[in-house]
Amino acid sequence: MDLPFRSRFAALRIVTAAAVALLLPLAAASPALGAEGDEAGTITWSVRPADESGEDGRAWVEQELDPGESATEHLAVHNLSEQDVTFRLSTADGYFRENGRFSMRSSDEESVDAGTWIDVVDEVSVPAQETVIVPFTTAVPDNATPGDHAAGIAASVLSEQVSEDGATVGVESRVGFRVMTRVTGEIAPAAEVQNVSSDYRMSWNPISPGDATVRFEVVNTGNTRLLVTGAVDVQGGEIAFPAADEADQELMPGDRRSFAVAAEDVWPLVSVPVGVEVAPAVTGEGEGTALDSITAETRMWAIPWPQLIVLAGIVLLVVSATWGRRRSRRRMAELIARARDEGRREAIVDETV
């Protein structure tokens, strides 16, 4: 599920905030409060894909169109509130955030791609506890490039709040879903792994291994949406990414996504081999189409300083013990030689007497 995001911008003397909740799969929006003094109360609503008769169970819209072709879809705006509400409808270019969640450009950002292809009425009035079905049309330009294009469509309400500094703050709460359009033509999925690096964190306990972090970027160099999975190999141990508790990582054409994979129990063997394998797959139309795995290799410096210190200590002990034994032997040899000399001198004295 995609999480809400917020942006703020100034307009004359009123500070305006665009609070956008783009939820996939979509549930009811977070409540939006009415303006100060407004007795209308809390407004909640949901927006889902639909056909002419109502919601159709889809989480978002996937469509494949030729350049110059158009198609009509529908959205269901469900007013969960106890009062009638007029919702503003808007569209914008879509994108995937670094955490893998889908979002759409805020109201103060200009759309230049699929967000401009969608035509929908500016607003819709929905009675309390009712649902209204609204058609919208996607018209692909004649010169649209083949491949995947992302947009979002949303219903929003505007309320006013007073900030801590006393300024009037307008909050636009926006709820919607993604509209993914694949333009027909030469479809060429492709990806690259770039900027592989790693760092090692040793344990000062000489009998314990350390940890490592492997960082890299995956770039969607093709023209289709890709689902990215893979594994990092450090010293023979594989770590899958993304982790089971992390969101799927989808990349639109041209997207670049940074990854950081942690590896535990890595022994410092001076130069540790590191491998990255990425298995991208086409998602959306043609979903499940796998590409050849992409691999990248590097080596990570892991100097075993604690072990070297221990080894140096052992060497010092051995050298010291060896030197001590040799010194004792020399001392003993000197004592024996001195005793022999004294014995000879005493024997000579006795013979003289």
Side-chain angles (χ1 to χ4, degrees), residues 85-326:
V85 180
T86 296
F87 296 97
R88 176 177 175 269
L89 301 181
S90 62
T91 63
D93 291 346
Y95 65 98
F96 288 97
R97 289 179 280 173
E98 278 292 324
N99 62 5
R101 304 296 188 184
F102 185 83
S103 190
M104 59 187 283
R105 302 296 176 190
S106 62
S107 299
D108 59 335
E109 293 181 281
E110 181 181 3
S111 293
V112 296
D113 195 50
T116 66
W117 301 352
I118 301 174
D119 183 39
V120 67
V121 295
D122 292 336
E123 60 182 34
V124 59
S125 296
V126 185
Q129 299 295 322
E130 295 291 337
T131 300
V132 173
I133 306 301
V134 180
F136 65 92
T137 300
T138 303
V140 179
D142 293 333
N143 61 350
T145 58
D148 289 335
H149 301 260
I153 187 167
S156 63
V157 295
L158 181 65
S159 61
E160 291 185 355
Q161 300 176 9
V162 178
S163 64
E164 294 180 357
D165 60 3
T168 301
V169 177
V171 179
E172 182 188 28
S173 299
R174 191 167 60 171
V175 178
F177 55 83
R178 63 173 103 167
V179 179
M180 312 300 290
T181 303
R182 174 164 294 173
V183 179
T184 59
E186 184 179 354
I187 302 300
E192 293 180 359
V193 178
Q194 299 179 0
N195 301 324
V196 181
S197 64
S198 58
D199 59 81
Y200 182 74
R201 297 175 301 281
M202 66 182 176
S203 169
W204 284 103
N205 183 346
I207 61 173
S208 296
D211 299 324
T213 301
V214 180
R215 295 179 175 84
F216 56 95
E217 294 179 331
V218 179
V219 184
N220 185 346
T221 57
N223 61 2
T224 65
R225 188 164 99 247
L226 296 178
L227 178 65
V228 174
T229 60
V232 170
D233 185 296
V234 180
Q235 214 170 63
E238 283 195 352
I239 307 97
F241 69 89
D245 58 346
E246 294 178 342
D248 291 340
Q249 294 293 326
E250 293 185 68
L251 276 69
M252 292 298 296
D255 279 356
R256 177 185 298 269
R257 189 68 42 79
S258 298
F259 293 86
V261 179
E264 300 178 346
D265 300 331
V266 179
W267 288 99
L269 301 179
V270 183
S271 180
V272 178
V274 175
V276 177
E277 182 176 11
V278 175
V282 176
T283 186
E285 295 292 335
E287 186 168 358
T289 302
L291 307 180
D292 292 337
S293 295
I294 308 163
T295 60
E297 297 180 350
T298 187
R299 301 194 75 85
M300 174 176 62
W301 289 109
I303 308 301
W305 293 115
Q307 291 80 4
L308 291 175
I309 291 172
V310 171
L311 180 61
I314 293 173
V315 170
L316 287 175
L317 289 175
V318 171
V319 170
S320 178
T322 302
W323 182 80
R325 285 195 298 270
R326 290 179 178 176

